[in-house]
Amino acid sequence: MRILRRLQPLFVALAILFIGLLLHTQWEELQRYEWRIDPGWLVLSAGLMMAAWAVEVLLWLRMLETVGYRLPYWASLRIWFLSAIVRYIPGNIWQPMSLTYLAAQRGVQLEATLTSILLYQLITILAVGPIAAAYFALTGNWGTLNDVFSEAAPGAIALALAPLIVFVARPRWLLEVVNWGLDRIGRPHLPISLSRPTLLFLFALSAFDWLLWGAAFYALAFGIGVAALGGNTSAMLHLLPLYPVAYAIGFLSFLTPSGLGVREGALYVLLTPLLGGGGATVLALAMRIWTTLGEVVAAGVSVLFSDRVRGIADRRSHAEDTTPARSEPPRERELHQEP
């Protein structure tokens, strides 16, 4: 924790550096595009993006509750945004480390935070499966890979749904593996509680969150004039499900921080038949920059108003009987007393 405390400012500085490098590498492509800005659509896109982040924090807090901890919502927003921008540092480990450090400052056990992050990432990625399966089954659009997947479509759709079905049928499997891993490294077990109704609710909330992201992507396309390039505005409805699919592909690649480049490549492949290569490229880059700027602004606000947010969070913490300062929740201490 001492190391993380010292490295936290460095994480933020490196994140800003890599974000700047991203903008620099794509600057010529963005300058060549003939921008047609519609402020109304951009405001709508920004609002939908903020709503999606609000749902994400709610999801993460629910994951924390499954391992016996609670945090005030406003404090969690600050933790979320301060840790989000460091994911642009290569390695894909810096955001979980940063989030773990910031949550530990409010008394959350390291193992609990890491488990909640694992559950959050797993559930949100699995929630893309039904969206992808429904889209490809109904439209048959595999982008520039239609020739490759046209015959393998049933198998690909089944593959997307299989992990979700297994996890819903046996939710305890993953939780038992987590506690087995903690036991192997000499750490205490976590009192994980995740019923099937709760799991189904979390999947539904995750799907709703993905649709908010898809709607923000859709609104951005109209906000920068890419919709006109598609010729048929009804084709833009493809954007709602395709953004979650591309995001999941970028996340699962594990090649670059935050799926950088992989997500944009997936959007190019899937959207080129609808928008043309130029429109797909510009929209993919614009969405990356749009979300990055949103995260930077949100993180900046979190830093500027940190004391005020902490005061609000502490008042809510007392009113809601949270556990911000305990190293262990009561259930875990009881668990330790068992033979």
Side-chain angles (χ1 to χ4, degrees), residues 40-50 215-220 287 290:
W41 281 105
L42 292 180
V43 170
L44 176 61
S45 178
L48 290 166
M49 189 165 58
M50 294 303 297
F217 189 51
Y218 175 91
L220 179 65
M287 187 62 178
W290 188 239

Side-chain angles (χ1 to χ4, degrees), residues 45-57 73 208-209 212-213:
S45 178
L48 290 166
M49 189 165 58
M50 294 303 297
W53 279 325
V55 173
E56 287 180 0
V57 175
Y73 185 79
F208 174 67
D209 178 54
L212 284 175
W213 276 112

